[in-house]
Amino acid sequence: MLNSKIDQVRLGIIGCGRIADLNIQGYLDHPKCELVAVCDINEALAKKRMQEWGAKKYYTDFEKLCADPEVNAVEILLPHTLHLPAVISAARAGKHISLQKPMCTELWEGRKMVEVAKQAGVWFRVTENFMYYPPFRLMKKYLDAGEIGTPLSIDMRLAGGAGGWWVPLKTWLWHIDPERCGGTPAVYDDGYHKLSIAKFMLGEIEKVKCWLDFTFAVVDVPSLVTWKHKSGQVGVWEVETGVNLMMNHKYYGADEWVEITGTKGVITGTRCTSRLMEIPPLILYKDGQHIAIDDIRDDWADSFHDAGWHFIDSLLEGKQPDLSGEDALYLMKFWKAIWKSSCENREVSLSEIKEEAEQTNA
Amino acid sequence: MPEFLARLIARVVFSVLRYWILHRSDKHLARSLRLVRRVAFALSGDQMVLSALTDLVEIFEAGGKDTELIRRMARETTPEYARAILRSLMRKD
């Protein structure tokens, strides 16, 4: 099945909550993607989404959507503890899978997903949108083209603030509950994007050292994460929240800053989720000059759109989409090393992170 | 929700609310919140207030992990944080 191309992607969306507003965008306007079905445990929401997005049918049970022969691929947007059963169900029904990050709550679950998808012969990716944010894609191109020389370091900041679009309280609660989320809300859940960007820009990680503090007992801010890439560059990620810091936003009340320093220049991405500062989304400094790049798509939704297109295009071409299951497992190990470093207050090498044995109740 | 109302709720009702959350049972809180919802909606006529309080009523009716988590957070909260959270919860954009 992996070698066979498909002419048309007939998609099922599993999970119709808040983030689906963004994930759906690329699928709706891709000429070779047909939205066949949607699924949500909340029937009223599933019906509403079916009408809003022009799907043919709706389900309230993901097993039933997966059994639908008309569907040949699924986008899974469920709470983290449901990722494993949904991936197993989709893979065994022969559907190609795009799973929303973070991959899993435990490493063995991620390994199981990779194995099940491989056995079923379906493409499997764990999507995260930051890698498709147009200014970050361009940043990577400049980096690879040697515009700033040899990269020396990456510096990232997450500023959380007041406001943001409406998210149901129940959704917030499972997101900040370590047991149901699988980790912490900032450095693990949202952080998956940043860890992905660090790896995307500068490659694999050798070791980490960090400090996670907590607000409200469970929200891991302020925090500071540092690491060293295998290729020698250092990375730092600072995470903070200003309770009265009003964000200029359309989505979540948070904004990002990514800066890479090289031997002959600096390149800075100034926004992503929000618009904390109205300055160009990408600034390149080289040869003593600032070059502001502002003629580029820079809405956060663009990154979701392009992530959707990438999945569809990959299936049409019969090739593995980026952000494979193995890549996602790597990012999970990056997170586990961060957590271990914070708990044990020491430097942790990624090679110390071992996958646990599968639990029998899976 | 209007800013002045969020500030008022956070500063005046904050201590009472936290005491309730930390010392009353889920069932008791659900009952009290139903009453608060009725009064708040009657006074404000605001659909957002109704919807946000309905979410809270349902959470306390169901009990379990969500209410355990709310209590853990309530122990550490301050009026400033409470106001910021309320402001976020009352949005329906």
Side-chain angles (χ1 to χ4, degrees):
Chain A
M1 191 183 292
L2 286 182
N3 296 323
S4 60
K5 294 181 184 178
I6 50 179
D7 297 330
Q8 176 87 10
V9 175
R10 298 185 305 278
L11 192 73
I13 300 282
I14 301 176
C16 296
R18 177 85 266 191
I19 203 67
D21 282 312
L22 292 166
N23 282 77
I24 193 69
Q25 296 194 9
Y27 298 127
L28 289 182
D29 75 352
H30 196 294
K32 290 284 185 184
C33 177
E34 180 191 3
L35 182 60
V36 173
V38 298
C39 174
D40 200 282
I41 196 168
N42 177 341
E43 188 173 5
L45 180 60
K47 265 187 190 171
K48 180 174 168 265
R49 293 304 208 182
M50 177 186 72
Q51 289 160 358
E52 195 179 320
W53 296 334
K56 287 183 181 172
K57 45 195 153 183
Y58 76 90
Y59 295 95
T60 54
D61 178 348
F62 68 72
E63 298 274 4
K64 288 183 180 158
L65 184 145
C66 291
D68 186 332
E70 213 180 331
V71 172
N72 62 11
V74 293
E75 171 86 4
I76 299 173
L77 305 168
L78 292 174
H80 309 161
T81 50
L82 294 173
H83 283 185
L84 180 60
V87 166
I88 289 174
S89 177
R92 288 184 179 159
K95 317 300 182 195
H96 301 296
I97 302 161
S98 173
L99 170 71
Q100 171 76 355
K101 70 83 210 172
M103 183 186 210
C104 48
T105 57
E106 296 298 338
L107 291 174
W108 70 265
E109 293 178 325
R111 175 58 59 202
K112 177 99 180 168
M113 290 178 203
V114 170
E115 283 169 3
V116 168
K118 194 175 171 187
Q119 282 162 10
V122 296
W123 294 120
F124 173 47
R125 75 152 180 185
V126 180
T127 185
E128 81 80 21
N129 60 299
F130 278 44
M131 216 184 88
Y132 297 92
Y133 185 55
F136 291 167
R137 303 282 305 181
L138 187 56
M139 181 185 264
K140 174 70 171 157
K141 269 190 187 171
Y142 284 143
L143 205 60
D144 291 346
E147 294 283 356
I148 61 166
T150 305
L152 300 169
S153 67
I154 182 166
D155 179 351
M156 300 197 284
R157 263 169 273 161
L158 167 68
W165 65 356
W166 179 78
V167 175
L169 179 58
K170 285 176 192 169
T171 304
W172 278 126
L173 287 172
W174 77 251
H175 267 279
I176 59 176
D177 179 359
E179 200 182 311
R180 286 176 285 170
C181 177
T184 58
V187 178
Y188 163 70
D189 188 7
D190 183 64
Y192 192 95
H193 296 294
K194 282 70 178 181
L195 307 186
S196 171
I197 284 298
K199 182 172 175 286
F200 175 54
M201 295 293 177
L202 298 180
E204 293 198 342
I205 313 300
E206 183 193 338
K207 56 189 175 182
V208 304
K209 190 160 196 306
C210 56
W211 165 56
L212 270 57
D213 207 348
F214 287 85
T215 301
F216 287 146
V218 287
V219 183
D220 49 334
V221 289
S223 293
L224 188 68
V225 182
T226 64
W227 63 89
K228 191 169 180 188
H229 289 270
K230 280 186 178 170
S231 44
Q233 302 95 343
V234 290
V236 58
W237 175 34
E238 188 186 316
V239 192
E240 66 273 313
T241 291
V243 70
N244 287 317
L245 175 61
M246 285 309 296
M247 287 284 171
N248 183 11
H249 61 80
K250 280 200 287 185
Y251 310 107
Y252 294 97
D255 202 22
E256 291 84 11
W257 181 284
V258 177
E259 188 167 276
I260 299 175
T261 302
T263 49
K264 63 172 192 178
V266 179
I267 186 158
T268 311
T270 66
R271 66 174 74 131
C272 188
T273 312
S274 192
R275 284 172 180 265
L276 187 61
M277 280 176 268
E278 285 295 344
I279 54 178
L282 202 60
I283 301 166
L284 174 63
Y285 178 82
K286 65 168 193 172
D287 303 327
Q289 286 191 323
H290 281 97
I291 303 162
I293 296 125
D294 50 15
D295 56 343
I296 186 169
R297 294 153 64 231
D298 64 356
D299 194 287
W300 197 47
D302 294 328
S303 59
F304 287 90
H305 175 276
D306 293 1
W309 270 61
H310 175 77
F311 183 57
I312 301 299
D313 287 343
S314 300
L315 298 188
L316 295 171
E317 290 167 26
K319 65 174 195 186
Q320 168 67 49
D322 291 340
L323 301 170
S324 68
E326 290 289 353
D327 292 335
L329 262 172
Y330 187 87
L331 293 177
M332 290 299 303
K333 286 181 185 172
F334 191 177
W335 149 251
K336 292 282 183 187
I338 289 169
W339 182 244
K340 195 175 176 70
S341 169
S342 177
C343 293
E344 298 177 10
N345 192 24
R346 67 176 179 90
E347 192 175 285
V348 173
S349 164
L350 257 65
S351 60
E352 289 181 50
I353 308 300
K354 306 293 179 202
E355 291 176 22
E356 324 89 343
E358 181 181 332
Q359 288 179 14
T360 48
N361 58 356
Chain B
M1 167 183 253
E3 177 67 23
F4 79 92
L5 192 55
R7 194 176 294 132
L8 188 71
I9 291 172
R11 289 195 179 165
V12 180
V13 186
F14 172 73
S15 303
V16 179
L17 199 60
R18 189 163 69 165
Y19 182 86
W20 270 1
I21 288 172
L22 293 180
H23 297 95
R24 299 291 184 220
S25 69
D26 288 348
K27 280 185 180 173
H28 180 99
L29 279 160
R31 253 197 327 270
S32 304
L33 282 165
R34 275 196 292 272
L35 181 65
V36 170
R37 178 178 60 180
R38 205 173 301 145
V39 172
F41 186 62
L43 290 175
S44 67
D46 190 333
Q47 204 61 38
M48 295 175 193
V49 171
L50 180 69
S51 177
L53 285 168
T54 299
D55 283 353
L56 271 174
V57 168
E58 284 173 5
I59 285 166
F60 280 100
E61 278 172 346
K65 287 179 179 171
D66 282 343
T67 56
E68 280 170 33
L69 191 63
I70 287 172
R71 286 195 176 88
R72 273 180 79 185
M73 294 172 72
R75 273 185 209 106
E76 296 208 5
T77 197
T78 63
E80 190 187 30
Y81 276 116
R83 196 172 90 223
I85 289 172
L86 278 171
R87 208 163 39 201
S88 289
L89 290 181
M90 300 297 177
R91 293 178 68 91
K92 287 283 177 187
D93 51 358

